[in-house]
Amino acid sequence: MRLIPVAATAAIVLAPSLTVSAPTAHGASCPDAEVIFARGTDEPPGLGRVGTALVASLREQTGKNIGAYGVDYPADEDFLAATAGANDASDHVQEMAAACPETRLVLGGYSQGAAVIDIVTAAPVPGLGFRDPLPARAAQHVVAVTLFGNPSGRAGRLMTVLSPHFAGKILNLCHPGDPICSNGDQWKAHTSYVPGMTTQAASFVAVRI
């Protein structure tokens, strides 16, 4: 993962309108809950290390049928492309809400992926590539949001404040010293969310599903 320009991250959310089509929802096979997770910069497609650990811990803690969906976006050095992930995550939430209305949905993200989920939960209108804001009726299906190493932490948690539909549902986790989410200078802190904080986040989610 590389340092994410905080100003650029905030601009993604605040600037006033491209959607990547979301994959088909689960159809008849609906899990008890599903974690929709955006990986960090330079991680291969999928959930990433943090998302994988979160899902594993949640399954262990609940014994429930927990589905998992890795948000489809580049996760590369072009941080403005995070809007592609936000579009994909928003589309997927809406498809799951329609196809599996009893499934409890969990949003999550690590590092740049946390910025992706910030956009989904905070941006009420299209802007700067984000064209598919999450309708309130779909947002109601999201029972928890867990963010790790969130770059908006360096902007005073600006994006969390802008999340009217997610009050009480968001857990922002930042390791002391993590330069991405705080004024720290310990890069190792940014890569140390597993297993301690992923277990903590799973406990936060478990009581909500």
Side-chain angles (χ1 to χ4, degrees):
M1 308 334 127
R2 290 176 172 79
L3 191 63
I4 299 173
V6 176
T9 304
I12 291 171
V13 174
L14 296 177
S17 181
L18 179 77
T19 298
V20 176
S21 298
T24 303
H26 293 283
S29 178
C30 295
D32 298 321
E34 182 178 80
V35 176
I36 301 164
F37 200 90
R39 71 198 189 278
T41 307
D42 292 338
E43 290 191 295
L47 299 175
R49 180 169 174 262
V50 174
T52 298
L54 172 64
V55 171
S57 183
L58 188 57
R59 287 170 176 163
E60 181 179 356
Q61 290 187 38
T62 65
K64 293 184 176 182
N65 178 11
I66 308 295
Y69 176 79
V71 174
D72 184 12
Y73 85 112
D76 59 17
E77 315 262 322
D78 180 9
F79 299 113
L80 291 181
T83 55
N87 286 319
D88 182 67
S90 180
D91 282 347
H92 189 74
V93 167
Q94 293 176 62
E95 290 193 355
M96 284 297 295
C100 297
E102 300 303 316
T103 296
R104 294 178 175 244
L105 303 179
V106 178
L107 290 172
Y110 164 60
S111 195
Q112 185 181 177
V116 167
I117 301 304
D118 275 332
I119 299 169
V120 177
T121 60
V125 295
L128 206 65
F130 182 51
R131 78 167 200 197
D132 198 10
L134 196 60
R137 65 183 181 277
Q140 292 172 357
H141 292 264
V142 177
V143 299
V145 180
T146 59
L147 304 173
F148 305 83
N150 188 351
S152 74
R154 296 183 65 196
R157 304 215 181 280
L158 170 67
M159 299 164 199
T160 299
V161 171
L162 296 176
S163 306
H165 299 303
F166 297 90
K169 297 181 180 180
I170 298 176
L171 178 65
N172 253 308
L173 293 172
C174 179
H175 255 310
D178 185 340
I180 298 298
C181 56
S182 74
N183 292 322
D185 59 1
Q186 301 171 34
W187 183 251
K188 184 177 180 180
H190 188 62
T191 61
S192 301
Y193 287 92
V194 179
M197 288 194 174
T198 50
T199 300
Q200 178 183 343
S203 298
F204 174 82
V205 172
V207 299
R208 291 163 170 77
I209 61 171

